[in-house]
Short mmCIF file of all heavy atoms in Angstrom, two decimals:
data_model
loop_
_atom_site.label_atom_id
_atom_site.label_comp_id
_atom_site.label_asym_id
_atom_site.label_seq_id
_atom_site.Cartn_x
_atom_site.Cartn_y
_atom_site.Cartn_z
N LEU A 213 170.51 92.15 -1.60
CA LEU A 213 170.08 93.49 -1.20
C LEU A 213 168.76 93.51 -0.43
O LEU A 213 168.32 94.56 0.01
CB LEU A 213 169.97 94.38 -2.44
CG LEU A 213 171.28 94.61 -3.20
CD1 LEU A 213 171.03 95.45 -4.44
CD2 LEU A 213 172.34 95.27 -2.32
N GLY A 214 168.13 92.38 -0.30
CA GLY A 214 166.87 92.35 0.44
C GLY A 214 165.67 92.54 -0.47
O GLY A 214 165.80 92.72 -1.68
N LYS A 215 164.50 92.53 0.14
CA LYS A 215 163.25 92.55 -0.63
C LYS A 215 162.95 93.91 -1.23
O LYS A 215 162.22 94.04 -2.19
CB LYS A 215 162.09 92.15 0.29
CG LYS A 215 162.16 90.72 0.77
CD LYS A 215 161.06 90.46 1.78
CE LYS A 215 161.10 89.01 2.25
NZ LYS A 215 160.08 88.76 3.28
N ASN A 216 163.47 94.94 -0.59
CA ASN A 216 163.07 96.29 -0.97
C ASN A 216 164.29 97.19 -0.91
O ASN A 216 164.61 97.75 0.13
CB ASN A 216 161.97 96.75 0.00
CG ASN A 216 161.54 98.17 -0.27
OD1 ASN A 216 161.41 98.97 0.65
ND2 ASN A 216 161.32 98.50 -1.51
N PHE A 217 164.99 97.29 -2.01
CA PHE A 217 166.22 98.09 -2.02
C PHE A 217 166.01 99.39 -2.80
O PHE A 217 164.95 99.60 -3.40
CB PHE A 217 167.39 97.28 -2.57
CG PHE A 217 167.10 96.58 -3.87
CD1 PHE A 217 167.37 97.19 -5.08
CD2 PHE A 217 166.55 95.28 -3.89
CE1 PHE A 217 167.11 96.56 -6.28
CE2 PHE A 217 166.28 94.65 -5.09
CZ PHE A 217 166.56 95.28 -6.29
N GLU A 218 167.03 100.25 -2.78
CA GLU A 218 166.84 101.62 -3.25
C GLU A 218 166.75 101.76 -4.77
O GLU A 218 165.83 102.38 -5.29
CB GLU A 218 167.97 102.53 -2.73
CG GLU A 218 167.81 102.94 -1.27
CD GLU A 218 168.00 101.78 -0.30
OE1 GLU A 218 168.87 100.93 -0.56
OE2 GLU A 218 167.27 101.72 0.70
N ILE A 219 167.74 101.23 -5.48
CA ILE A 219 167.77 101.48 -6.93
C ILE A 219 168.00 100.18 -7.69
O ILE A 219 168.88 99.39 -7.36
CB ILE A 219 168.91 102.46 -7.30
CG1 ILE A 219 168.73 103.81 -6.59
CG2 ILE A 219 168.96 102.67 -8.82
CD1 ILE A 219 169.88 104.78 -6.81
N HIS A 220 167.19 99.99 -8.70
CA HIS A 220 167.44 98.90 -9.64
C HIS A 220 167.74 99.56 -10.98
O HIS A 220 166.95 100.36 -11.48
CB HIS A 220 166.22 97.99 -9.75
CG HIS A 220 166.50 96.71 -10.47
ND1 HIS A 220 166.20 95.48 -9.97
CD2 HIS A 220 167.11 96.47 -11.65
CE1 HIS A 220 166.58 94.53 -10.80
NE2 HIS A 220 167.14 95.12 -11.84
N GLY A 221 168.90 99.25 -11.52
CA GLY A 221 169.31 99.92 -12.75
C GLY A 221 169.55 98.99 -13.91
O GLY A 221 169.61 97.76 -13.75
N GLY A 222 169.70 99.61 -15.06
CA GLY A 222 170.00 98.86 -16.28
C GLY A 222 169.73 99.72 -17.50
O GLY A 222 169.31 100.88 -17.35
N GLY A 223 169.97 99.19 -18.65
CA GLY A 223 169.69 99.92 -19.89
C GLY A 223 168.20 99.98 -20.14
O GLY A 223 167.44 99.13 -19.68
N ARG A 224 167.79 100.98 -20.88
CA ARG A 224 166.36 101.15 -21.20
C ARG A 224 165.79 99.91 -21.89
O ARG A 224 164.60 99.62 -21.76
CB ARG A 224 166.16 102.34 -22.15
CG ARG A 224 166.45 103.67 -21.56
CD ARG A 224 165.59 104.76 -22.20
NE ARG A 224 164.33 104.86 -21.51
CZ ARG A 224 164.13 105.64 -20.44
NH1 ARG A 224 165.10 106.39 -19.98
NH2 ARG A 224 162.96 105.66 -19.84
N ASP A 225 166.61 99.25 -22.66
CA ASP A 225 166.10 98.11 -23.42
C ASP A 225 165.71 96.94 -22.51
O ASP A 225 165.09 95.99 -22.96
CB ASP A 225 167.12 97.66 -24.48
CG ASP A 225 168.49 97.40 -23.89
OD1 ASP A 225 168.73 97.78 -22.72
OD2 ASP A 225 169.32 96.81 -24.59
N LEU A 226 166.04 97.04 -21.24
CA LEU A 226 165.69 95.94 -20.33
C LEU A 226 164.33 96.13 -19.68
O LEU A 226 163.82 95.24 -19.00
CB LEU A 226 166.75 95.81 -19.23
CG LEU A 226 168.15 95.41 -19.69
CD1 LEU A 226 169.06 95.22 -18.48
CD2 LEU A 226 168.12 94.13 -20.51
N ILE A 227 163.72 97.30 -19.91
CA ILE A 227 162.45 97.58 -19.24
C ILE A 227 161.44 96.47 -19.54
O ILE A 227 160.81 95.94 -18.64
CB ILE A 227 161.90 98.96 -19.67
CG1 ILE A 227 162.82 100.07 -19.15
CG2 ILE A 227 160.48 99.16 -19.15
CD1 ILE A 227 162.48 101.45 -19.67
N PHE A 228 161.32 96.17 -20.80
CA PHE A 228 160.45 95.05 -21.17
C PHE A 228 161.22 94.09 -22.08
O PHE A 228 161.87 94.52 -23.00
CB PHE A 228 159.20 95.54 -21.91
CG PHE A 228 158.19 94.46 -22.10
CD1 PHE A 228 157.23 94.20 -21.14
CD2 PHE A 228 158.23 93.65 -23.24
CE1 PHE A 228 156.33 93.17 -21.30
CE2 PHE A 228 157.34 92.61 -23.39
CZ PHE A 228 156.38 92.37 -22.42
N PRO A 229 161.13 92.81 -21.78
CA PRO A 229 160.35 92.18 -20.71
C PRO A 229 161.13 91.98 -19.40
O PRO A 229 160.52 91.64 -18.39
CB PRO A 229 160.02 90.82 -21.32
CG PRO A 229 161.21 90.50 -22.17
CD PRO A 229 161.71 91.81 -22.69
N HIS A 230 162.45 92.16 -19.44
CA HIS A 230 163.25 91.70 -18.31
C HIS A 230 162.82 92.29 -16.96
O HIS A 230 162.52 91.56 -16.02
CB HIS A 230 164.72 91.99 -18.57
CG HIS A 230 165.65 91.41 -17.55
ND1 HIS A 230 165.62 90.08 -17.21
CD2 HIS A 230 166.60 91.97 -16.77
CE1 HIS A 230 166.54 89.85 -16.28
NE2 HIS A 230 167.13 90.98 -15.99
N HIS A 231 162.79 93.60 -16.87
CA HIS A 231 162.47 94.20 -15.58
C HIS A 231 161.00 94.05 -15.20
O HIS A 231 160.65 93.93 -14.03
CB HIS A 231 162.92 95.67 -15.56
CG HIS A 231 164.40 95.80 -15.52
ND1 HIS A 231 165.07 96.96 -15.86
CD2 HIS A 231 165.38 94.91 -15.20
CE1 HIS A 231 166.37 96.77 -15.74
NE2 HIS A 231 166.60 95.54 -15.35
N GLU A 232 160.17 94.07 -16.21
CA GLU A 232 158.74 93.83 -15.96
C GLU A 232 158.57 92.45 -15.32
O GLU A 232 157.83 92.28 -14.35
CB GLU A 232 158.00 93.88 -17.31
CG GLU A 232 156.50 93.94 -17.17
CD GLU A 232 156.03 95.29 -16.63
OE1 GLU A 232 156.28 96.31 -17.28
OE2 GLU A 232 155.43 95.30 -15.54
N ASN A 233 159.26 91.48 -15.85
CA ASN A 233 159.15 90.12 -15.34
C ASN A 233 159.79 89.98 -13.95
O ASN A 233 159.29 89.24 -13.11
CB ASN A 233 159.80 89.13 -16.31
CG ASN A 233 159.01 89.03 -17.61
OD1 ASN A 233 157.93 89.60 -17.72
ND2 ASN A 233 159.55 88.31 -18.57
N GLU A 234 160.88 90.70 -13.76
CA GLU A 234 161.51 90.68 -12.44
C GLU A 234 160.54 91.17 -11.37
O GLU A 234 160.46 90.61 -10.28
CB GLU A 234 162.73 91.60 -12.43
CG GLU A 234 164.02 90.91 -12.74
CD GLU A 234 165.18 91.86 -12.52
OE1 GLU A 234 165.41 92.27 -11.37
OE2 GLU A 234 165.83 92.21 -13.51
N ILE A 235 159.83 92.26 -11.70
CA ILE A 235 158.86 92.80 -10.74
C ILE A 235 157.80 91.75 -10.44
O ILE A 235 157.46 91.50 -9.29
CB ILE A 235 158.21 94.09 -11.29
CG1 ILE A 235 159.24 95.23 -11.33
CG2 ILE A 235 157.00 94.49 -10.44
CD1 ILE A 235 158.72 96.52 -11.89
N ALA A 236 157.27 91.14 -11.50
CA ALA A 236 156.21 90.14 -11.33
C ALA A 236 156.67 89.00 -10.43
O ALA A 236 155.98 88.62 -9.48
CB ALA A 236 155.77 89.61 -12.70
N GLN A 237 157.86 88.48 -10.68
CA GLN A 237 158.38 87.37 -9.88
C GLN A 237 158.63 87.81 -8.44
O GLN A 237 158.21 87.15 -7.48
CB GLN A 237 159.73 86.91 -10.44
CG GLN A 237 159.67 86.33 -11.81
CD GLN A 237 161.06 86.34 -12.46
OE1 GLN A 237 162.00 86.96 -11.97
NE2 GLN A 237 161.18 85.62 -13.55
N SER A 238 159.38 88.91 -8.31
CA SER A 238 159.83 89.32 -6.98
C SER A 238 158.67 89.73 -6.10
O SER A 238 158.62 89.37 -4.93
CB SER A 238 160.81 90.49 -7.09
OG SER A 238 161.85 90.13 -7.95
N GLU A 239 157.74 90.50 -6.64
CA GLU A 239 156.64 90.97 -5.82
C GLU A 239 155.65 89.86 -5.52
O GLU A 239 155.00 89.87 -4.47
CB GLU A 239 155.99 92.21 -6.46
CG GLU A 239 157.01 93.36 -6.53
CD GLU A 239 156.44 94.72 -6.91
OE1 GLU A 239 155.24 94.81 -7.24
OE2 GLU A 239 157.21 95.70 -6.85
N SER A 240 155.54 88.88 -6.41
CA SER A 240 154.71 87.72 -6.10
C SER A 240 155.36 86.92 -4.97
O SER A 240 154.67 86.37 -4.11
CB SER A 240 154.57 86.81 -7.32
OG SER A 240 153.92 87.49 -8.36
N PHE A 241 156.64 86.89 -4.98
CA PHE A 241 157.39 86.14 -3.96
C PHE A 241 157.36 86.83 -2.59
O PHE A 241 157.08 86.20 -1.58
CB PHE A 241 158.83 85.96 -4.44
CG PHE A 241 159.76 85.32 -3.45
CD1 PHE A 241 159.60 83.99 -3.07
CD2 PHE A 241 160.82 86.04 -2.90
CE1 PHE A 241 160.47 83.39 -2.16
CE2 PHE A 241 161.69 85.44 -1.98
CZ PHE A 241 161.51 84.12 -1.62
N THR A 242 157.63 88.14 -2.57
CA THR A 242 157.78 88.83 -1.28
C THR A 242 156.49 89.50 -0.81
O THR A 242 156.39 89.89 0.35
CB THR A 242 158.84 89.94 -1.37
OG1 THR A 242 158.38 90.95 -2.28
CG2 THR A 242 160.17 89.39 -1.87
N SER A 243 155.54 89.69 -1.73
CA SER A 243 154.33 90.47 -1.43
C SER A 243 154.65 91.89 -0.98
O SER A 243 153.91 92.50 -0.22
CB SER A 243 153.48 89.79 -0.35
OG SER A 243 153.22 88.46 -0.69
N GLU A 244 155.81 92.37 -1.43
CA GLU A 244 156.20 93.74 -1.09
C GLU A 244 156.64 94.44 -2.36
O GLU A 244 156.92 93.79 -3.35
CB GLU A 244 157.42 93.72 -0.14
CG GLU A 244 157.09 93.47 1.30
CD GLU A 244 158.35 93.45 2.15
OE1 GLU A 244 159.24 94.27 1.89
OE2 GLU A 244 158.45 92.58 3.03
N GLN A 245 156.74 95.75 -2.25
CA GLN A 245 157.29 96.51 -3.38
C GLN A 245 158.74 96.08 -3.57
O GLN A 245 159.47 95.91 -2.60
CB GLN A 245 157.22 98.01 -3.09
CG GLN A 245 157.63 98.83 -4.29
CD GLN A 245 157.97 100.28 -3.93
OE1 GLN A 245 157.99 100.67 -2.76
NE2 GLN A 245 158.23 101.06 -4.95
N PHE A 246 159.13 95.89 -4.81
CA PHE A 246 160.50 95.47 -5.12
C PHE A 246 161.39 96.72 -5.03
O PHE A 246 161.40 97.35 -3.98
CB PHE A 246 160.48 94.82 -6.52
CG PHE A 246 161.72 94.09 -6.95
CD1 PHE A 246 162.51 93.39 -6.06
CD2 PHE A 246 162.08 94.09 -8.29
CE1 PHE A 246 163.64 92.70 -6.50
CE2 PHE A 246 163.21 93.41 -8.74
CZ PHE A 246 163.99 92.73 -7.84
N ALA A 247 162.09 97.10 -6.08
CA ALA A 247 162.97 98.26 -6.00
C ALA A 247 162.17 99.54 -5.78
O ALA A 247 161.06 99.67 -6.27
CB ALA A 247 163.78 98.37 -7.28
N LYS A 248 162.78 100.49 -5.03
CA LYS A 248 162.09 101.75 -4.78
C LYS A 248 162.18 102.67 -5.99
O LYS A 248 161.28 103.46 -6.25
CB LYS A 248 162.72 102.45 -3.57
CG LYS A 248 162.44 101.74 -2.25
CD LYS A 248 163.12 102.47 -1.10
CE LYS A 248 163.19 101.59 0.13
NZ LYS A 248 164.16 102.08 1.12
N ILE A 249 163.31 102.61 -6.66
CA ILE A 249 163.49 103.45 -7.85
C ILE A 249 164.04 102.59 -8.99
O ILE A 249 164.98 101.81 -8.80
CB ILE A 249 164.47 104.61 -7.58
CG1 ILE A 249 163.86 105.61 -6.58
CG2 ILE A 249 164.84 105.33 -8.88
CD1 ILE A 249 164.79 106.74 -6.18
N TRP A 250 163.43 102.74 -10.17
CA TRP A 250 163.94 102.08 -11.38
C TRP A 250 164.63 103.12 -12.23
O TRP A 250 164.01 104.07 -12.69
CB TRP A 250 162.79 101.42 -12.16
CG TRP A 250 162.29 100.19 -11.48
CD1 TRP A 250 161.33 100.12 -10.53
CD2 TRP A 250 162.75 98.85 -11.69
NE1 TRP A 250 161.16 98.81 -10.13
CE2 TRP A 250 162.01 98.01 -10.83
CE3 TRP A 250 163.70 98.26 -12.54
CZ2 TRP A 250 162.21 96.63 -10.77
CZ3 TRP A 250 163.90 96.89 -12.49
CH2 TRP A 250 163.15 96.09 -11.61
N MET A 251 165.93 102.93 -12.40
CA MET A 251 166.73 103.95 -13.10
C MET A 251 167.29 103.32 -14.38
O MET A 251 168.00 102.33 -14.32
CB MET A 251 167.86 104.37 -12.15
CG MET A 251 168.73 105.49 -12.66
SD MET A 251 169.86 106.01 -11.33
CE MET A 251 170.93 107.13 -12.26
N HIS A 252 166.92 103.92 -15.51
CA HIS A 252 167.33 103.32 -16.78
C HIS A 252 168.19 104.26 -17.61
O HIS A 252 167.87 105.43 -17.75
CB HIS A 252 166.09 102.89 -17.57
CG HIS A 252 165.41 101.71 -16.98
ND1 HIS A 252 164.23 101.80 -16.26
CD2 HIS A 252 165.77 100.40 -16.95
CE1 HIS A 252 163.89 100.59 -15.84
NE2 HIS A 252 164.81 99.73 -16.23
N SER A 253 169.24 103.71 -18.15
CA SER A 253 170.17 104.52 -18.95
C SER A 253 169.82 104.42 -20.43
O SER A 253 169.36 103.38 -20.91
CB SER A 253 171.60 104.06 -18.72
OG SER A 253 171.74 102.69 -19.02
N GLY A 254 170.07 105.52 -21.13
CA GLY A 254 169.75 105.59 -22.57
C GLY A 254 170.72 104.78 -23.41
O GLY A 254 171.83 104.48 -22.99
N MET A 255 170.27 104.49 -24.60
CA MET A 255 171.08 103.68 -25.52
C MET A 255 172.14 104.53 -26.22
O MET A 255 171.99 105.74 -26.33
CB MET A 255 170.20 103.07 -26.61
CG MET A 255 169.08 102.19 -26.11
SD MET A 255 169.66 100.62 -25.45
CE MET A 255 169.60 100.96 -23.70
N ILE A 256 173.14 103.86 -26.72
CA ILE A 256 174.12 104.51 -27.59
C ILE A 256 173.85 104.05 -29.01
O ILE A 256 173.72 102.85 -29.27
CB ILE A 256 175.56 104.17 -27.17
CG1 ILE A 256 175.90 104.89 -25.87
CG2 ILE A 256 176.54 104.57 -28.28
CD1 ILE A 256 177.35 104.80 -25.47
N THR A 257 173.75 105.01 -29.91
CA THR A 257 173.62 104.67 -31.33
C THR A 257 174.95 105.00 -32.00
O THR A 257 175.74 105.78 -31.47
CB THR A 257 172.49 105.48 -31.99
OG1 THR A 257 172.72 106.87 -31.73
CG2 THR A 257 171.13 105.08 -31.46
N ILE A 258 175.18 104.39 -33.15
CA ILE A 258 176.42 104.65 -33.88
C ILE A 258 176.05 105.40 -35.15
O ILE A 258 175.36 104.85 -36.01
CB ILE A 258 177.14 103.33 -34.26
CG1 ILE A 258 177.32 102.43 -33.04
CG2 ILE A 258 178.46 103.62 -34.95
CD1 ILE A 258 178.32 102.89 -32.01
#
Side-chain angles (χ1 to χ4, degrees):
Chain A
L213 297 177
K215 294 174 179 177
N216 177 226
F217 49 91
E218 282 69 37
I219 300 175
H220 192 128
R224 293 210 87 88
D225 53 348
L226 296 184
I227 293 172
F228 189 89
H230 187 54
H231 289 162
E232 192 70 61
N233 292 354
E234 266 188 65
I235 290 178
Q237 296 161 348
S238 305
E239 297 191 354
S240 297
F241 174 67
T242 65
S243 307
E244 279 179 40
Q245 186 197 6
F246 191 35
K248 290 179 196 163
I249 292 177
W250 287 87
M251 185 173 171
H252 289 104
S253 57
M255 301 289 101
I256 288 189
T257 53
I258 308 289

